[in-house]
Amino acid sequence: MAMSWGQGELFPTANEAENQRTKFLLGKYKEMTMLMHDFEKFEEELRQVAIDGEAARRIDQEDLHADKTANATILIEKQRWVYQRYQFYTHQLRRAFSLIQDDEARRAIDYRYMQGYSYKETLLFFRHGLSDSTIRRKISEGTESMANSLKLMGFFEQDDAEF
């Protein structure tokens, strides 16, 4: 049994649940970055919708417009909360990715997860230089390396919100 962080463990090893969480988040990495980009692009438009709705409510003095404005504000706040979680996840994943020491494992993780290619596309991309079993092993080694780095960074203690 490994010591807990409080007991001074210098090189903690991620458990199976932490390895699976890392793999799950890696599988969502490309989608998270796309949604973050979309939010950044359209946040100003969403804010303008809320402002326009408030201006219309003042002119018409109808409850319907007030509800639309409140709903738009709630929507923006929900999307901002999700955006902030995604920022946290993707930043930590990039940190852990940069710490993978094995070049082939880092390349396999980059192609498979960071660039968002399918498992089959990843196998085909590396096939000329590595066997399928080696590619699978390198993806697994890279994921475990990242999970161990995330554990060392205290990521799993901070990761209290589920998708």
Side-chain angles (χ1 to χ4, degrees):
M1 178 88 183
M3 294 183 294
S4 72
W5 181 250
Q7 295 171 311
E9 184 180 18
L10 293 177
F11 304 102
T13 302
N15 62 35
E16 184 56 28
E18 293 163 338
N19 283 325
Q20 289 302 315
R21 181 69 176 151
T22 302
K23 190 173 180 179
F24 172 80
L25 289 171
L26 278 169
K28 297 289 186 185
Y29 180 83
K30 186 69 176 178
E31 183 181 348
M32 286 190 289
T33 57
M34 290 172 61
L35 288 168
M36 286 168 51
H37 177 73
D38 180 73
F39 179 78
E40 291 163 2
K41 187 176 173 184
F42 293 106
E43 184 180 21
E44 190 54 44
E45 289 178 29
L46 290 172
R47 191 175 293 118
Q48 192 58 47
V49 167
I51 292 167
D52 291 346
E54 180 62 21
R57 185 193 65 78
R58 287 187 184 140
I59 292 167
D60 295 346
Q61 292 297 316
E62 289 181 17
D63 291 337
L64 180 63
H65 289 292
D67 289 345
K68 283 183 180 178
T69 303
N71 289 342
T73 303
I74 290 167
L75 177 65
I76 290 170
E77 289 309 311
K78 280 183 179 178
Q79 289 184 354
R80 184 173 291 116
W81 182 86
V82 169
Y83 174 79
Q84 289 167 345
R85 292 305 298 180
Y86 285 4
Q87 269 190 317
F88 171 71
Y89 290 144
T90 56
H91 176 73
Q92 297 299 329
L93 288 169
R94 281 192 302 273
R95 281 183 68 199
F97 170 76
S98 72
L99 296 171
I100 299 172
Q101 293 183 13
D102 182 298
D103 288 338
E104 288 178 341
R106 191 178 327 101
R107 284 182 55 232
I109 293 293
D110 178 50
Y111 199 82
R112 171 66 181 97
Y113 294 114
M114 308 309 264
Q115 294 186 50
Y117 288 100
S118 72
Y119 194 73
K120 185 174 184 177
E121 289 169 322
T122 303
L123 292 176
L124 291 172
F125 180 77
F126 287 101
R127 181 164 282 159
H128 64 279
L130 301 171
S131 69
D132 288 2
S133 61
T134 300
I135 298 162
R136 284 187 190 92
R137 191 177 75 251
K138 292 300 179 181
I139 290 172
S140 180
E141 288 172 3
T143 303
E144 286 179 26
S145 169
M146 289 181 68
N148 291 338
S149 293
L150 289 170
K151 186 172 184 94
L152 182 61
M153 289 185 251
F155 171 81
F156 298 109
E157 288 80 16
Q158 299 173 62
D159 181 29
D160 56 6
E162 293 294 320
F163 280 85

